[in-house]
Amino acid sequence: MVYQTVSNEDLMRYLDGELPPDEVARVRDALERSTELQRELRIFEALRKDIGGLSFDPPPHRSVWDGVQRRLTRPMGWILFLSGAILWLFYGAWVYATSPANPVEKLAVGALTIGFLLLLGSTVSERLQESRTDPYRDIQR
């Protein structure tokens, strides 16, 4: 029987185009003579098509609450956080300006505070710019 001379590995290599020309002719000849071999080839073609369509990325989990959080909760949190921070900054500046401390001490504390805020702001800004162009940002651990 001709089917015995063509193995499943030969069929897969034929399907992938990895056989040398003389082997291709042998497999084609065997396929013409054996309906069972043709059926095996169709099964392998279907498996190849199914496996080729698989994706290894997990589908993103989206729910109704994700949209609510994106559109309502986060903006509201940022508004409250920033307004509270601004109020605290103005209150701290007012207390600082009206305190009876030595003016040299006020200048030193002010320089430290402004320097710290500038460094923090530049670092945060730099990190945000890097995160937008980071090629690995979507990789999950």
Side-chain angles (χ1 to χ4, degrees):
M1 181 181 221
V2 176
Y3 177 69
Q4 298 295 333
T5 62
V6 178
S7 68
N8 287 342
E9 182 180 340
D10 291 338
L11 279 178
M12 291 300 293
R13 290 177 60 208
Y14 171 77
L15 192 60
D16 291 338
E18 297 175 351
L19 287 177
D22 59 329
E23 292 288 318
V24 170
R26 181 179 65 84
V27 171
R28 282 186 183 156
D29 186 45
L31 282 168
E32 288 175 5
R33 293 185 182 152
S34 173
T35 57
E36 188 174 338
L37 199 56
Q38 292 171 10
R39 183 181 64 82
E40 289 288 325
L41 183 64
R42 285 193 299 272
I43 289 172
F44 287 143
E45 287 172 341
L47 283 171
R48 183 177 185 208
K49 181 181 175 188
D50 290 343
I51 290 173
L54 290 178
S55 172
F56 295 104
D57 296 332
H61 178 70
R62 303 276 186 221
S63 72
V64 174
W65 293 111
D66 290 339
V68 170
Q69 181 183 10
R70 249 190 338 270
R71 292 190 180 119
L72 183 67
T73 308
R74 283 186 186 167
M76 185 61 72
W78 277 109
I79 290 169
L80 290 173
F81 172 76
L82 290 175
S83 61
I86 289 169
L87 286 172
W88 271 109
L89 281 173
F90 279 122
Y91 176 72
W94 180 73
V95 168
Y96 177 73
T98 59
S99 71
N102 185 357
V104 175
E105 291 174 357
K106 285 184 180 182
L107 285 174
V109 171
L112 283 171
T113 304
I114 291 172
F116 174 76
L117 290 175
L118 285 173
L119 288 173
L120 179 67
S122 68
T123 304
V124 168
S125 172
E126 191 176 297
R127 293 292 294 185
L128 285 174
Q129 288 174 355
E130 282 180 11
S131 70
R132 290 184 191 129
T133 59
D134 184 15
Y136 303 109
R137 70 173 178 243
D138 295 329
I139 294 178
Q140 297 177 359
R141 296 176 195 215

